[in-house]
Amino acid sequence: MMSGGVGKYTHIDNQPQVSGSVPAVPDPGHVTVQFTDSNLQTFPPSGSQGKISGGSRPPRDADDTFSKPISGSDEPQQGGWFRTFTIAAYKPYFDVDTTEVLERIKDSLFPFRGTFTEKTANNPDLYGPFWICTTLIFVAASIGTFVTYIAHKLQKKEWNYDINLVTWSAGVFYGYVLLVPLALYVILKYFSAPSGLVQLFCLYGYSLFVFIPALCLSVVPLEIFRWVIAGVAGFMSATFVALNLRAHIMSAGERWFLIVAGIFLLQLALSVVLKLYLFTVTV
């Protein structure tokens, strides 16, 4: 028993009682404490803690030694010329959506605008040129085969499939889009008016789109009509390339006109070759 200045404290049956102004505190008896599952053993934790943000992302200053080639190993360093032979080097040139590709195709069908190189200066792509050339190969082979088949059947002559039509078309379209821009790139560099190689690939690739509808129209069995179609397609394609390169090539000096004229005539020559081999049906 104890007395104080505030109240009287008594102890009865091992239960403390407070009299006076201090209320009594009941005995809680046997209390069972249950702890929830702790994530102290979970690493990394699910929440953001310190530099670790999320369970799947490492800290920004994490050691990435294992993601780099070991010095002295047989694995080539991804830099310099080695990067040219990797897929990652060409990934940005295929990063375009359908809207951009359709817009560039539409620009190629209006050759007198001459704004294609300005629109694609910051984002030239190889996706459109690749599929345009691939489509041209398929269309040239299928349309050419169909036209020759119909012509042979109308004259009741035996018809044999020409597999060389596919290989020849692939060589012409892929070879033209690769070699001509590469040669032009060297020429412009020689005349101190360098242009981006990928941008030249992009320009020449889209310039061939006009030949897709031209090949489809070649099914009309009129020779004069086929010549007109080939001529119009060649003129549109040549004008598209020449006008888009004219402003840039003018910085090459007095010979800029010869370069532009050569580009224009070379594109016309392509249309003549296509007319003689793809637009002409011989029975």
Side-chain angles (χ1 to χ4, degrees):
M1 180 180 297
M2 182 181 299
S3 61
V6 177
K8 184 177 180 181
Y9 180 84
T10 60
H11 184 80
I12 303 174
D13 296 334
N14 296 328
Q15 293 184 1
Q17 300 289 333
V18 179
S19 61
S21 60
V22 179
V25 179
D27 185 7
H30 180 70
V31 178
T32 302
V33 179
Q34 295 181 351
F35 295 94
T36 58
D37 293 337
S38 174
N39 63 348
L40 295 177
Q41 302 298 326
T42 304
F43 184 83
S46 59
S48 300
Q49 297 183 8
K51 294 183 180 179
I52 301 178
S53 56
S56 60
R57 292 188 296 176
R60 294 182 179 179
D61 58 348
D63 184 11
D64 58 348
T65 303
F66 296 100
S67 64
K68 296 180 180 179
I70 302 176
S71 177
S73 65
D74 295 335
E75 183 179 359
Q77 299 290 333
Q78 301 300 323
W81 284 100
F82 289 102
R83 179 174 171 79
T84 307
F85 303 99
T86 61
I87 298 177
Y90 301 95
K91 183 178 179 180
Y93 302 119
F94 290 84
D95 187 17
V96 290
D97 54 24
T98 305
T99 304
E100 290 178 324
V101 173
L102 293 178
E103 184 67 23
R104 296 176 182 187
I105 290 176
K106 185 175 68 175
D107 288 339
S108 69
L109 297 177
F110 296 92
F112 294 101
R113 294 179 179 177
T115 59
F116 183 84
T117 53
E118 297 178 4
K119 294 180 179 180
T120 60
N122 297 326
N123 186 28
D125 73 285
L126 298 177
Y127 179 87
F130 172 77
W131 283 111
I132 288 174
C133 291
T134 304
T135 305
L136 272 170
I137 296 170
F138 172 77
V139 171
S142 58
I143 294 296
T145 300
F146 175 75
V147 171
T148 54
Y149 174 79
I150 296 298
H152 280 75
K153 289 302 180 181
L154 290 177
Q155 297 188 15
K156 297 181 180 180
K157 292 184 179 181
E158 184 180 358
W159 173 80
N160 295 317
Y161 176 72
D162 186 10
I163 188 61
N164 294 325
L165 192 62
V166 177
T167 56
W168 189 90
S169 300
V172 168
F173 294 119
Y174 284 145
Y176 188 85
V177 171
L178 288 175
L179 298 179
V180 174
L182 184 60
L184 182 60
Y185 173 80
V186 175
I187 293 174
L188 294 179
K189 198 173 185 65
Y190 175 78
F191 285 102
S192 301
S195 178
L197 181 59
V198 176
Q199 191 168 8
L200 292 176
F201 285 144
C202 179
L203 177 65
Y204 272 87
Y206 280 100
S207 70
L208 298 182
F209 178 81
V210 68
F211 290 105
I212 296 178
L215 283 171
C216 295
L217 292 175
S218 66
V219 298
V220 179
L222 294 175
E223 190 66 15
I224 184 64
F225 180 77
R226 290 171 178 166
W227 271 110
V228 171
I229 291 299
V232 171
F235 178 79
M236 292 178 62
S237 179
T239 304
F240 173 73
V241 176
L243 290 183
N244 278 282
L245 289 176
R246 181 185 61 178
H248 178 76
I249 297 178
M250 288 179 67
S251 61
E254 298 178 354
R255 298 182 180 180
W256 71 269
F257 181 78
L258 296 177
I259 300 176
V260 174
I263 293 172
F264 184 86
L265 294 177
L266 186 61
Q267 203 79 356
L268 284 180
L270 174 65
S271 64
V272 174
V273 172
L274 295 179
K275 167 61 185 74
L276 295 177
Y277 193 84
L278 298 179
F279 290 73
T280 302
V281 178
T282 57
V283 180

